Amino acid sequence: PAVEAAAIVARVEAELGAPIAERFAEFDAEPLAAASLAQVHGARLADGRAVAVKVQVPGIDEVVRADVAALSILAGALGDLVPGDLGAIAAELGRALTGELDYVAEGAAGAEVAPTLAGTALFVPAVIASHSTPRVLTTDRVDGRRLTEALDAADRAERTRILRALCDGIARQIFRGGVVHADPHPGNFLCTADGRIAVLDWGCVLRLTPAERGGYARLMLALAAGDGATAE
């Protein structure tokens, strides 16, 4: 459920160091989206620019730290009883969740990938640095349909175009840039009326070394050639 507007406004004001009316010409009390770590509100800057303001849920950082600590303890206790490396899984979840709480890093990751997607249908909404902090992230607002809604409403040709664009964008991230969006659920893609696709939420990314990118390339070539032995 969404956090009440008063708590969100208080967090934004504390993070930006000024009353919300001084930083935004408009700020919608009702969120555009709400999740466990953050919620997003529509707003408008003094120059009329429409923006989306992602606000970290107050107190969620303490909850995450406690959950990660509990998970580490549980992994240590059950390590010999459950198949798999629970310690590695717990460490990776802890790293990923902690990283998702840093909105400066999230904005930087999106900006880093944006040039890789240039020339494709995919794009990253621009960050407004003057209105962003580690707990508040303000970006250009994108009006569009969620991916599943767009696919359901599209004809076969349009569905093919959208899916090709997604495959192209992901391939470019893996093989060219080496920084990959690692939370690609349908809610993180918005399809606009002019045929573009916004990629949202860069809090979780995968960084590949040149050697790893080469490995993925060899795997794809082996799969395309039906070479199971090489793929394995």
Side-chain angles (χ1 to χ4, degrees), residues 10-18 23 132-136:
R11 160 137 282 189
V12 173
E13 292 181 337
E15 289 293 315
L16 299 185
R23 303 311 304 273
S132 299
T133 74
R135 294 182 177 87
V136 172

Side-chain angles (χ1 to χ4, degrees), residues 31-110:
L32 297 171
S36 56
L37 299 183
Q39 60 192 53
V40 180
H41 290 255
R44 195 171 296 276
L45 302 183
D47 61 3
R49 187 175 184 179
V51 296
V53 186
K54 181 177 180 179
V55 186
Q56 195 171 113
V57 171
I60 197 65
D61 51 343
E62 298 175 2
V63 174
V64 168
R65 282 196 294 270
D67 284 350
V68 168
L71 184 62
S72 297
I73 293 172
L74 187 62
L78 298 178
D80 296 331
L81 303 177
V82 180
D85 190 344
L86 290 185
I89 294 172
E92 175 61 17
L93 283 173
R95 182 202 64 78
L97 284 171
T98 301
E100 287 198 51
L101 297 177
D102 184 351
Y103 293 169
V104 171
E106 176 180 337

Side-chain angles (χ1 to χ4, degrees), residues 20 41 168 232:
I20 203 161
H41 290 255
D168 181 25
E232 292 177 3

Side-chain angles (χ1 to χ4, degrees), residues 17-191:
I20 203 161
E22 292 184 8
R23 303 311 304 273
F24 298 95
E26 300 174 13
F27 189 91
D28 298 338
E30 290 295 320
L32 297 171
S36 56
L37 299 183
Q39 60 192 53
V40 180
H41 290 255
R44 195 171 296 276
L45 302 183
D47 61 3
R49 187 175 184 179
V51 296
V53 186
K54 181 177 180 179
V55 186
Q56 195 171 113
V57 171
I60 197 65
D61 51 343
E62 298 175 2
V63 174
V64 168
R65 282 196 294 270
D67 284 350
V68 168
L71 184 62
S72 297
I73 293 172
L74 187 62
L78 298 178
D80 296 331
L81 303 177
V82 180
D85 190 344
L86 290 185
I89 294 172
E92 175 61 17
L93 283 173
R95 182 202 64 78
L97 284 171
T98 301
E100 287 198 51
L101 297 177
D102 184 351
Y103 293 169
V104 171
E106 176 180 337
E112 185 178 1
V113 176
T116 302
L117 299 179
T120 74
L122 275 61
F123 71 100
V124 181
V127 173
I128 291 85
S130 60
H131 289 67
S132 299
T133 74
R135 294 182 177 87
V136 172
L137 179 62
T138 302
T139 66
D140 280 338
R141 180 170 174 174
V142 178
D143 292 320
R145 288 179 169 182
R146 291 179 182 270
L147 178 61
T148 47
E149 297 173 358
L151 290 173
D152 288 342
D155 59 23
R156 181 169 183 173
E158 177 62 5
R159 287 197 299 270
T160 298
R161 185 194 69 81
I162 291 173
L163 294 173
R164 278 180 174 164
L166 291 172
C167 290
D168 181 25
I170 292 171
R172 284 171 180 252
Q173 292 171 55
I174 294 172
F175 299 119
R176 293 189 182 181
V179 182
V180 187
H181 190 288
D183 190 15
H185 65 78
N188 280 339
F189 298 92
L190 288 180
C191 298

